[in-house]
């Protein structure tokens, strides 16, 4: 039933693709290309998750034999999950924790990011019609003021959070028994690119450009520092600078825009 409900939600979700894409462009300044990519990757993720769960369910239905013992794996929900996605990927990063939790039978509370919440508005009807009342609960506001009181109740079984380690630690310790609250965290990425002297610089420049400036660099997985061997450093910097100069500036909804204003 949970898989069927999620599939119904996915069917309704694809119907409002353009509304979600426009919301992403207008609220967080993401280009149309990147906004469409975020939506499509989210749909693909949900499809792959459903497929993986069905495969796992078939495997779990079998009996295992080890050391003369026969056993069968049974999985159960944890309880109430608080999902907190970031502003830069408010749709994708929220759904990658929310929907797997729902599929596994958990009740979810979703705290929307301060910026990037509007992309959820076109999906509210689908949430209301595809899932039973109380399964998905959504609220907005500053995390320090809204998420803290929920965690302090001690009723959360799991926290899914993407942001800084400082914020995660501040949230976690508010639980009466922090060790009992399972945490799924994505924190403080400092990603490096390493360019060796035998590298094809045309490929290296293309990949570093994408890694550093996709969505204007507003990604936790963005490349933050580039290490280049001295023998090719000057040439790499020259080619990279030229590539950056060729990028098109403009508003998110303009055609072929690569760099847009930050929110």
């Amino acid at each position: 039933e949970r898989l069927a409900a999620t599939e119904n939600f996915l069917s309704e979700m694809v119907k409002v693709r353009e509304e979600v894409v426009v919301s992403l462009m207008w609220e967080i300044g993401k280009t149309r290309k990147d906004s469409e990519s975020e939506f499509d990757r989210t749909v693909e993720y949900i499809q792959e998750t459903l497929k993986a769960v069905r495969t796992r369910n078939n495997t779990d239905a079998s009996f295992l034999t080890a050391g003369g013992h026969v056993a069968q794996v049974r999985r159960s929900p944890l309880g109430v999950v608080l999902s907190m996605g970031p502003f830069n990927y408010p749709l994708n990063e929220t759904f990658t924790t929310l929907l797997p939790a729902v599929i596994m039978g958990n009740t979810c509370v979703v705290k929307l990011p301060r910026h990037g919440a509007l992309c959820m508005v076109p999906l509210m009807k689908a949430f209301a019609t595809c899932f039973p009342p109380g399964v998905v609960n959504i609220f907005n506001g500053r995390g320090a003021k809204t998420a803290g009181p929920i965690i302090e109740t001690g009723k959360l079984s799991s926290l899914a959070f993407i942001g800084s380690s400082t914020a995660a630690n501040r949230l976690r310790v508010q639980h009466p028994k922090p060790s009992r609250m399972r945490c799924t965290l994505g924190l403080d990425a400092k990603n490096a690119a390493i360019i060796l002297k035998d590298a094809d610089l045309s490929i290296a420049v293309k990949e570093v450009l994408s890694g550093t400036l996709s969505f204007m660099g507003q990604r936790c997985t963005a490349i933050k520092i580039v290490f280049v061997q001295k023998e090719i450093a000057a040439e790499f910097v020259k080619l990279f600078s030229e590539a950056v100069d060729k990028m098109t500036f403009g508003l998110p909804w303009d055609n072929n825009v690569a760099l847009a204003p930050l929110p």
Side-chain angles (χ1 to χ4, degrees):
E1 291 181 3
R2 296 192 294 267
L3 293 176
T6 305
E7 286 180 328
N8 290 337
F9 176 83
L10 183 60
S11 297
E12 295 301 315
M13 178 179 172
V14 297
K15 296 178 182 178
V16 294
R17 179 180 185 269
E18 180 63 15
E19 295 175 56
V20 174
V21 167
V22 170
S23 296
L24 290 170
M25 288 193 296
W26 278 87
E27 188 176 11
I28 62 174
K30 183 170 287 191
T31 65
R32 170 169 283 278
K33 179 181 178 181
D34 285 340
S35 297
E36 290 175 341
S37 175
E38 178 172 355
F39 186 94
D40 295 340
R41 287 195 302 111
T42 303
V43 169
E44 182 180 356
Y45 174 85
I46 298 171
Q47 293 171 336
E48 290 300 318
T49 299
L50 291 168
K51 180 180 178 181
V53 171
R54 284 197 170 92
T55 300
R56 193 214 57 213
N57 286 346
N58 291 334
T59 301
D60 289 351
S62 303
F63 285 94
L64 307 175
T65 303
H69 299 280
V70 178
Q72 187 176 38
V73 176
R74 290 295 186 185
R75 304 175 192 271
S76 61
L78 297 174
V80 181
V81 176
L82 173 59
S83 175
M84 300 176 66
F87 88 93
N88 53 347
Y89 285 88
L91 181 73
N92 183 261
E93 298 289 7
T94 298
F95 278 22
T96 54
T97 57
L98 164 63
L99 292 178
V102 169
I103 290 172
M104 293 307 300
N106 298 283
T107 296
C108 292
V109 180
V110 182
K111 191 277 177 192
L112 300 179
R114 186 168 34 161
H115 304 296
L118 294 181
C119 68
M120 292 293 180
V121 175
L123 299 167
M124 290 299 185
K125 182 178 179 181
F127 276 122
T129 57
C130 296
F131 299 110
V135 171
V136 179
N137 309 274
I138 300 174
F139 69 97
N140 199 8
R142 292 183 62 86
K145 293 184 177 180
T146 55
I150 293 176
I151 296 175
E152 288 175 353
T153 65
K155 295 181 180 180
L156 284 182
S157 300
S158 180
L159 168 66
F161 175 80
I162 297 173
S164 70
S165 56
T166 301
N169 289 332
R170 186 165 57 241
L171 290 169
R172 183 176 176 276
V173 298
Q174 293 183 70
H175 195 285
K177 298 179 179 178
S179 61
R180 294 190 180 183
M181 182 176 66
R182 299 192 185 188
C183 294
T184 302
L185 309 173
L187 311 171
D188 298 334
K190 297 297 181 184
N191 311 290
I194 301 174
I195 314 299
L196 302 180
K197 61 183 180 182
D198 61 347
D200 184 326
L201 289 187
S202 62
I203 296 176
V205 167
K206 179 182 177 182
E207 293 301 322
V208 172
L209 193 71
S210 174
T212 54
L213 293 176
S214 177
F215 185 32
M216 291 74 76
Q218 299 298 296
R219 301 182 298 132
C220 56
T221 55
I223 294 173
K224 308 298 195 301
I225 186 171
V226 182
F227 296 99
V228 186
Q229 282 194 282
K230 291 181 180 179
E231 293 87 342
I232 60 169
E235 181 66 11
F236 175 83
V237 171
K238 176 180 177 293
L239 294 175
F240 186 74
S241 298
E242 291 173 352
V244 172
D245 289 340
K246 292 178 182 178
M247 298 182 75
T248 306
F249 292 82
L251 295 175
W253 44 86
D254 292 338
N255 292 329
N256 302 317
V257 166
L259 295 175
L262 297 176

